[in-house]
Amino acid sequence: MADRKRIVVGVAGGIAAYKACTLVRQLSEAGHSVRVVPTESALKFVGAATFEALSGNPVHTGVFEDVSEVPHVRFGQQADLVVVAPATADLMARAVAGRGDDLLTATLLTARCPVLFAPAMHTEMWLHPATVENVATLRRRGVVVLDPASGRLTGADSGPGRLPEAEEITTFAQLLLERGDALPHDLAGVKVVVTAGGTREAIDPVRFIGNRSSGKQGYAVARVMAQRGAEVTLIAGNTAGLADPAGVDVVHISSAAQLRDSVFKYVPDAQVLVMAAAVADFRPTEVATSKIKKKHGPGEAEAAPVIELTRTDDILAGAVRARTDGQLPNLRAIVGFAAETGDANGDVLFHARAKLQRKGCDLLVVNAVGDGRAFEVDVNDGWLLAADGTESALEHGSKTLMGSRIADAIGAFLRGNDE
């Protein structure tokens, strides 16, 4: 297949090594050629036969095996991506020092492709000054080091240091292959509020007015922003059971009113607001306290009930007004989203430009919807419009790729305002 990539999965010696099996399976099932390069200590947790069966390739740990093939140089040179999961404190320290005393560290020395580390260790190890400095050094060198998840560790311990789930690591691996370059860690210290998913406006205890938003694009933005160093609060509506992104504080809401209240609770401390949620424009004026029943008696009318609607608050426009009025002095970038269709009055971009002017946000992400586009799918494309009149296309790809391009634009906007 044309998009088949060569991926090296390094596995260091930690209890989370067993999770690498799922990662290898997912990357292989995605159509990539996967070669597992464990450390000797990793094989104390998972045997070579398991990795060989999952990857379809032989497994070696030392530089003196298959010497005629020069694997300690060839694996890194030929790889399109190197993923190390779990990356232990010891492995990262050896990578920083430029050690090449086993096949994995030698591969890291010769790799010129994107490199992704997924750390896993006890909280005390992750927070130790040596590890903190090593992570910072790796990131300065262009290595993508994911922040670990928080949760149950070995034994009864709990805290940051848990290996992100395999799906999370696979998502970032695929992103690096799509981007073809590293993901910068350029948003450290930036506080971001992201909204995602659709709202549900109750009609009665059973029924609601909703929309087709899955929340996938907003979750992708939050996920990427967090791994670029931002402190992210994700306000999530109906998201079809999406897993919370690692390193993100998630607030779950249901209605447009709840979304509005949560936004204005968290946004005063934020520098960036990304309004990716699909907020209902209307809600029922009155909500029935009991289920609205059909009429089944003899001679009873079959007419459907009339539901009176009223407009919901425009949260995006409200945030812009609050900033203009000086109520949100910390807020430096407001990003809106527009899901548009063309009509007799104009095409998608015509309506998007009008919305940008009407809303007054700094950046507007535009998606053409309908015919299976944008909603309830894993891919996306569109345009990015800026208040200064610049416009750029967002290439077709995964929603994580689009999330990374949106993060690129936000980072550039913030840097431009600093100059």
Side-chain angles (χ1 to χ4, degrees), residues 19 56 63 88 97 129-130 150 172 176 183-185 205 216 227 246 263 265 274 303 319-320 343 354 371 393 399:
K19 293 185 177 181
V63 297
T88 60
S150 293
F172 279 98
L176 294 180
L183 195 67
H185 196 263
K216 291 179 180 179
Q227 294 299 348
V263 166
K265 176 181 178 180
V274 181
V320 173
D343 58 22
D371 299 324
K399 288 187 173 179

Side-chain angles (χ1 to χ4, degrees), residues 10-184:
V11 183
I15 187 63
Y18 75 94
K19 293 185 177 181
C21 298
T22 303
L23 174 64
V24 172
R25 179 183 293 279
Q26 289 178 351
L27 293 173
S28 297
E29 290 179 349
H32 303 303
S33 173
V34 180
R35 181 175 290 274
V36 181
V37 180
T39 63
E40 283 285 351
S41 56
L43 294 182
K44 295 183 181 296
F45 294 95
V46 181
T50 299
F51 289 131
E52 290 177 344
L54 291 172
S55 68
N57 283 309
V59 168
H60 302 302
T61 62
V63 297
F64 293 106
E65 298 171 90
D66 288 342
V67 174
S68 61
E69 300 293 328
V70 200
H72 71 288
V73 174
R74 183 168 56 85
F75 288 174
Q77 287 178 331
Q78 294 182 351
D80 296 298
L81 175 69
V82 176
V83 182
V84 181
T88 60
D90 175 72
L91 188 282
M92 290 192 292
R94 291 196 290 138
V96 166
R99 297 281 294 273
D101 47 356
D102 62 11
L103 188 55
L104 178 52
T105 52
T107 298
L108 291 170
L109 283 175
T110 57
R112 295 299 179 265
C113 58
V115 176
L116 173 66
F117 278 25
M121 63 199 73
H122 265 70
T123 301
E124 293 84 356
M125 295 181 178
W126 173 249
L127 297 179
H128 192 282
T131 304
V132 171
E133 186 172 340
N134 287 338
V135 170
T137 299
L138 290 168
R139 285 171 171 164
R140 284 196 303 271
R141 294 176 182 173
V143 175
V144 178
V145 183
L146 300 181
D147 282 333
S150 293
R152 181 73 177 269
L153 305 172
T154 305
D157 292 349
S158 183
R162 182 181 175 91
L163 185 72
E165 294 303 318
E167 291 78 6
E168 188 93 0
I169 302 170
T170 300
T171 294
F172 279 98
Q174 297 280 24
L175 172 60
L176 294 180
L177 291 172
E178 283 189 278
R179 282 180 64 100
D181 61 2
L183 195 67

Side-chain angles (χ1 to χ4, degrees), residues 259-274:
L259 179 63
R260 175 203 61 210
D261 293 345
S262 292
V263 166
F264 285 100
K265 176 181 178 180
Y266 293 101
V267 81
D269 293 329
Q271 288 83 48
V272 178
L273 172 63
V274 181

Side-chain angles (χ1 to χ4, degrees), residues 219-304:
Y219 268 54
V221 173
R223 177 176 285 110
V224 172
M225 297 282 279
Q227 294 299 348
R228 291 175 76 148
E231 300 175 33
V232 180
T233 298
L234 173 63
I235 304 173
N238 176 43
T239 56
L242 296 178
D244 292 348
V248 173
D249 293 326
V250 183
V251 178
H252 293 279
I253 57 89
S254 179
S255 68
Q258 292 171 347
L259 179 63
R260 175 203 61 210
D261 293 345
S262 292
V263 166
F264 285 100
K265 176 181 178 180
Y266 293 101
V267 81
D269 293 329
Q271 288 83 48
V272 178
L273 172 63
V274 181
M275 286 291 300
V279 188
D281 294 316
F282 304 95
R283 61 175 175 80
T285 303
E286 295 184 2
V287 179
T289 58
S290 58
K291 179 182 176 181
I292 300 172
K293 305 292 195 300
K294 292 180 180 179
K295 294 183 178 181
H296 297 289
E300 291 183 319
E302 293 295 333

